[in-house]
Amino acid sequence: MSPAATARRPARSKAATRPARTTRRRVLRVDHNKRWRPASRRGGTCGYTLDRKTCTRRGAHYCEPRADRVVRFFAELLVHPAGAFANTRFELASWQEHEIIRPLFGEVIWSEQWGRYVRRYTRATIVMARKNGKSALLSGIALYMLVGDGEESAEVYCAAANTRQAGKVFEPAVKMVRKSPVLAKRLKHIKNIRRLVDEKTSSHYEAIPSDADNELGHSPHCFILDEVLSQPDDKLWKAMVTGAGARTQPLMLAITTETTAHASFGADLIDEADRVMEVPSRTPHHFAYVRKMPRDVEELERLWRLFPARPELPVSIDPWDEGNWAWANPALGSFLSIQALREDALEARTDRSKENGFRQFRLNQRVSQVTRWISMDLWNARVGEVAPTPDWIRGRLKGERCWGGLDLSSKLDLTSLSWVFPDGSVLWRFWLPESVIPQLDEHTNGRISEWVDQGWITATDGDTIDYDRIYDDVEADHKDFRIVDITYDKWSGEPVRQEIVKRTRLKMVESDTTFLRMTGPMTEFMRRLKAAELQHFGNPVATWMADNIEKKSPRDDPDRLRPVKPDRDKTGIRIDGIPAVLFALDGAMRGMPAPSIYESQGMSL
């Protein structure tokens, strides 16, 4: 895509046309008590004290003295190991302190198991562009977890694609220890095995290779995985996460720049962090700090919804506008030189082979044609009334006109039918062979079985879809609603079309999921979602699918769209309900059929 094409993309909202700022205020003001947290009142008064400051809160809360302790650990015991601030006190930058360290270490919950308050976050994902001081920050976190967290026999590990890469996190920590009189006395460096040992607590910090088969015996108090994008799979991560079960308040921290591989462990981890940033209640124990330059207008608008009035937010999707660089590069203007970015940008603009590298490593963009499509904060805002059962929705819409969309699966998988009504209401039916339920339960924590029991999914007997049940349900809906037509996926759809027409005489329109057929409905769907012209009544199956769906656009024409269907066997992900809505919208966009001459002039000729 040429720079001009990106910069000239037509604006679609206020966020996309927000005027450029002449000055950029970088003062960060954070009220940590307003951060979302579980509504739990369990536990007595916190009582944690540091330098005569005592936390008097209770339940899930932000404990300021605990956060102060970590901030002071950096400032009083550590020095910057390299760069412009080398050998100076490690006073955290405002964004490091208030957006990472304080929430990560200050948020606590009551543990019934341990009978005390513990850190709320046991998982953390940090995603930002390169050269923003992550190695030094991670080294400081590792040293704190080693000697400052009060854990006996703490095991702290760092890993990357190979031992050499892991050393880039480990070596700054060694330098910090050497330059700190307190830590130099307390810690012993065993050079040949890259290990720091604290004999006082029988704890150690070690750099390890990413060979999961050899790393199953650990019990990590803290594990740091650097540059997740270089990991071939999730074996090492899982080995460490499962090994931390005996720890009181473990911390599994992954940090990375965006990946180019759409179907990878790195992409999955980054996408999950994106989702948690949108909806923190999704995984309350997961801390997410994600800073990426938006690739399209939808991503830009999402940032403005999630982070209103933040001065460093991008103002457009132009990758060459310097005013857009600060979001992906929080250290810009302090220990990251803007001149370095300018030089890289100049080379990337004049040499297209370098553009992808600039976008990925400097702007933290995923250099891929595939990206997540629906922002869950926007989807959740379009629930309307929450339906207690599918029949509740059906009864409310009885007698109304609608358009249908049918996404057919193989006989061994999930099939979806969607009805779209003129008022924006959307109704779904889902069918699934009962033999597939256990497999999908493994990927959804048993939710598929719950949805079957609650009536959101119809399970048919046997190992294959019972199409007679689908035909019966379509007939029932034909009696309840005034159906204009049904648009269906032509893949293996002809026998189904014939039987539905035979039973109902409904008009069936063939379609597919190509760029040609999907661009219009996908554009209309997003327009309706943004304009609050759609309500889904909180259908849990459709919400799961909306969270999963991804879109694909050609690099040379970002306005062309189509949904991406995942590898069903490997991921357990399903999206069938969303293409079904798109087919139905295709019909709604075609509108009503032309009236018959008999309707307009009567029977006499």
Side-chain angles (χ1 to χ4, degrees):
M1 185 195 309
S2 67
T6 304
R8 293 173 187 166
R9 182 168 182 178
R12 298 179 185 172
S13 68
K14 278 187 175 182
T17 57
R18 199 176 294 273
R21 296 177 291 272
T22 56
T23 60
R24 187 176 290 278
R25 291 166 48 239
R26 299 301 305 277
V27 178
L28 185 64
R29 294 183 175 88
V30 178
D31 185 345
H32 294 286
N33 293 313
K34 290 185 177 180
R35 174 178 288 267
W36 182 92
R37 58 183 57 90
S40 170
R41 296 294 295 168
R42 288 185 299 175
T45 300
C46 177
Y48 190 92
T49 301
L50 180 71
D51 287 347
R52 299 180 183 177
K53 181 189 291 184
T54 300
C55 180
T56 58
R57 296 178 177 273
R58 60 182 300 164
H61 67 279
Y62 169 68
C63 178
E64 187 173 0
R66 295 176 200 258
D68 288 346
R69 177 182 172 86
V70 187
V71 172
R72 287 185 55 179
F73 179 87
F74 274 80
E76 296 177 8
L77 295 183
L78 304 181
V79 298
H80 285 279
F85 296 102
N87 300 318
T88 63
R89 290 175 57 181
F90 201 141
E91 293 184 346
L92 293 163
S94 181
W95 63 273
Q96 291 175 320
E97 176 182 346
H98 292 286
E99 296 198 278
I100 297 177
I101 296 299
R102 284 192 174 275
L104 185 57
F105 289 93
E107 288 285 325
V108 296
I109 57 173
W110 178 259
S111 170
E112 295 289 352
Q113 179 181 3
W114 305 113
R116 65 183 181 89
Y117 284 100
V118 298
R119 275 192 300 274
R120 167 183 154 193
Y121 295 117
T122 58
R123 309 279 188 278
T125 306
I126 298 173
V127 187
M128 59 184 174
R130 286 187 175 172
K131 303 302 179 183
N132 279 275
K134 65 178 178 61
S135 294
L137 183 65
L138 292 181
S139 294
I141 291 174
L143 291 174
Y144 177 81
M145 296 296 288
L146 178 65
V147 301
D149 206 37
E151 183 80 5
E152 286 290 324
S153 301
E155 297 178 27
V156 181
Y157 300 99
C158 66
N162 49 57
T163 306
R164 179 175 174 272
Q165 179 67 30
K168 292 183 178 180
V169 178
F170 183 77
E171 291 303 325
V174 174
K175 292 179 181 178
M176 288 177 174
V177 170
R178 288 174 181 164
K179 295 177 180 182
S180 169
V182 175
L183 295 181
K185 282 183 180 180
R186 179 163 174 173
L187 299 178
K188 179 182 179 182
H189 178 209
I190 305 176
K191 188 174 183 180
N192 62 328
I193 59 172
R194 293 191 176 184
R195 177 180 286 193
L196 287 168
V197 177
D198 179 14
E199 295 180 348
K200 181 178 180 179
T201 60
S202 300
S203 302
H204 67 267
Y205 171 39
E206 182 179 351
I208 61 174
S210 58
D211 182 352
D213 293 336
N214 295 327
E215 305 303 332
L216 295 178
H218 299 308
S219 177
H221 175 54
C222 176
F223 174 58
I224 297 171
L225 184 59
D226 189 25
E227 291 300 357
V228 176
L229 62 92
S230 62
Q231 289 293 309
D233 52 46
D234 64 351
K235 290 181 180 178
L236 177 61
W237 181 254
K238 284 185 176 179
M240 287 297 181
V241 168
T242 55
R247 296 291 179 176
T248 306
Q249 45 181 9
L251 176 61
M252 305 289 109
L253 194 158
I255 189 163
T256 189
T257 308
E258 256 292 10
T259 179
T260 59
H262 157 63
S264 66
F265 165 56
D268 290 345
L269 202 69
I270 293 168
D271 289 346
E272 178 61 19
D274 253 333
R275 292 177 172 98
V276 171
M277 191 174 68
E278 289 174 3
V279 187
S281 58
R282 173 188 178 91
T283 317
H285 62 275
H286 186 174
F287 172 80
Y289 178 85
V290 183
R291 296 293 181 264
K292 300 191 291 185
M293 172 74 185
R295 302 198 315 172
D296 53 36
V297 174
E298 283 75 26
E299 289 185 5
L300 179 65
E301 292 174 343
R302 168 180 170 267
L303 287 180
W304 281 106
R305 288 195 306 272
L306 294 176
F307 302 96
R310 287 287 293 271
E312 71 273 33
L313 279 172
V315 296
S316 72
I317 59 172
D318 181 1
W320 315 115
D321 182 350
E322 292 184 10
N324 294 330
W325 294 348
W327 183 249
N329 295 277
L332 191 63
S334 54
F335 47 87
L336 175 61
S337 166
I338 193 169
Q339 184 59 32
L341 264 70
R342 286 171 178 161
E343 292 170 358
D344 286 354
L346 180 62
E347 291 185 10
R349 294 190 75 170
T350 56
D351 183 351
R352 189 170 182 179
S353 65
K354 296 180 179 179
E355 180 180 339
N356 280 357
F358 179 78
R359 287 178 177 272
Q360 181 186 4
F361 300 123
R362 289 302 202 180
L363 301 184
N364 207 24
Q365 286 185 333
R366 183 169 301 175
V367 186
S368 165
Q369 294 174 295
V370 177
T371 184
R372 284 186 64 215
W373 184 33
I374 299 174
S375 178
M376 293 311 292
D377 69 305
L378 189 58
W379 174 268
N380 292 337
R382 303 296 175 252
V383 171
E385 287 188 75
V386 177
T389 66
D391 289 340
W392 180 89
I393 311 173
R394 204 172 306 281
R396 177 171 175 161
L397 297 171
K398 191 170 184 176
E400 297 295 324
R401 178 180 290 114
C402 64
W403 289 264
L406 181 62
D407 186 61
L408 296 164
S409 69
S410 70
K411 292 182 178 181
L412 305 175
D413 216 331
L414 196 146
T415 287
S416 175
L417 172 66
S418 177
W419 303 113
V420 171
F421 296 79
D423 69 349
S425 297
V426 183
L427 175 65
W428 282 272
R429 283 189 184 271
F430 298 100
W431 300 273
L432 185 70
E434 63 178 2
S435 63
V436 182
I437 295 174
Q439 173 197 343
L440 291 182
D441 271 344
E442 291 180 9
H443 295 278
T444 60
N445 293 322
R447 286 182 294 172
I448 296 295
S449 291
E450 291 180 12
W451 294 333
V452 170
D453 293 341
Q454 295 165 0
W456 298 104
I457 299 176
T458 299
T460 63
D461 294 337
D463 296 332
T464 62
I465 282 282
D466 180 358
Y467 281 102
D468 284 334
R469 177 58 191 269
I470 294 177
Y471 304 144
D472 291 344
D473 288 343
V474 172
E475 277 192 275
D477 287 348
H478 182 39
K479 294 175 182 177
D480 286 342
F481 310 130
R482 296 158 57 200
I483 301 171
V484 179
D485 57 40
I486 299 176
T487 304
Y488 69 99
D489 188 347
K490 67 181 181 182
W491 183 81
S492 74
E494 183 57 25
V496 176
R497 182 199 70 82
Q498 291 178 7
E499 186 63 26
I500 291 176
V501 171
K502 178 182 176 181
R503 292 194 182 202
T504 66
R505 298 189 180 278
L506 284 168
K507 180 181 179 182
M508 301 284 289
V509 181
E510 184 181 271
S511 188
D512 53 45
T513 55
T514 60
F515 287 116
L516 179 64
R517 295 304 299 268
M518 288 287 99
T519 297
M522 289 181 74
T523 303
E524 174 65 8
F525 179 91
M526 189 55 65
R527 185 198 69 78
R528 291 191 181 201
L529 204 59
K530 293 177 181 177
E533 296 177 8
L534 181 149
Q535 57 178 339
H536 52 78
F537 304 102
N539 185 302
V541 186
T543 298
W544 172 56
M545 293 175 174
D547 198 16
N548 291 333
I549 194 165
E550 296 173 314
K551 66 178 180 180
K552 185 172 185 177
S553 299
R555 285 296 301 272
D556 59 347
D557 190 357
D559 290 318
R560 296 176 67 202
L561 304 168
R562 70 174 179 82
V564 178
K565 291 203 173 185
D567 186 330
R568 297 168 181 261
D569 293 334
K570 292 183 180 179
T571 65
I573 290 173
R574 301 295 185 273
I575 64 168
D576 309 80
I578 305 304
V581 172
L582 298 177
F583 288 140
L585 276 176
D586 192 6
M589 292 166 67
R590 291 193 301 269
M592 296 292 295
S596 163
I597 188 173
Y598 300 107
E599 292 179 289
S600 58
Q601 298 184 13
M603 291 296 294
S604 59
L605 297 177

